[in-house]
Amino acid sequence: MGRTGRIIAGVAAAVLVLGLAAVGGFLALGGLDRWRDAQAIVVPEQYRPVIKEAARRCKAVPARVLAAQLASESSWEPRAVSPAGAQGIAQFMPEVWEAHGVDGDGDGTIDVWNPIAALHSAAELNCMNRKLVEDVPGDELRNILAAYNAGFNQVVRYQGVPPFPETEQYVERVLRRAEQIEL
């Protein structure tokens, strides 16, 4: 390899190292989470009136927070399925849906894949969780969100947001996104 080839190879290696360092710094500072948050705060137009209506089921969880919760759960994908088996736009586990799904659009069916039913069911579950954790110390809204993510029994057991990284990050992400949402 000639002198020019070595210079080009050296420059390419330096660019690669600097590029990887920049990506690493971006990720270390939470850049990917912040980028995802910015992508997820746009509420699809078809869900805006449904979210406002569904949020009336539980005054403790404002519409902006409900919207942020759903954006965090599925990024607005009504056919989403998690690796753990949670389903739909609100990411209900089948047994939780069976117990708490509601007919949100009055069509006579309770279908986890129907976004309107799922949005109303998420609001209803938030309100049920509110009652189940009302005697737990700490911030009511944080406890409600933690109950949605980890189960009310964990919030009661730990007397607040349980010390699970996934749940702690979920609560913070939802609240951070809620600040940026306009309905």
Side-chain angles (χ1 to χ4, degrees), residues 36-111:
R36 284 184 181 145
D37 286 351
Q39 302 305 306
I41 59 174
V42 175
V43 179
E45 192 62 40
Q46 70 267 29
Y47 298 134
R48 289 174 185 221
V50 180
I51 289 167
K52 290 176 186 175
E53 180 183 335
R56 291 188 203 120
R57 291 178 176 267
C58 190
K59 302 289 187 210
V61 181
R64 287 173 29 163
V65 175
L66 179 61
Q69 188 177 13
L70 295 162
S72 297
E73 289 292 340
S74 67
S75 298
W76 306 109
E77 177 52 55
R79 303 301 273 172
V81 178
S82 78
Q87 301 173 330
I89 197 168
Q91 289 293 278
F92 277 92
M93 293 300 288
E95 60 276 7
V96 175
W97 179 261
E98 188 67 32
H100 303 291
V102 299
D103 179 8
D105 60 4
D107 70 353
T109 62
I110 301 173
D111 181 5

Side-chain angles (χ1 to χ4, degrees), residues 21-44:
V23 169
F26 176 77
L27 295 174
L29 294 173
L32 187 57
D33 285 340
R34 288 192 186 111
W35 180 81
R36 284 184 181 145
D37 286 351
Q39 302 305 306
I41 59 174
V42 175
V43 179

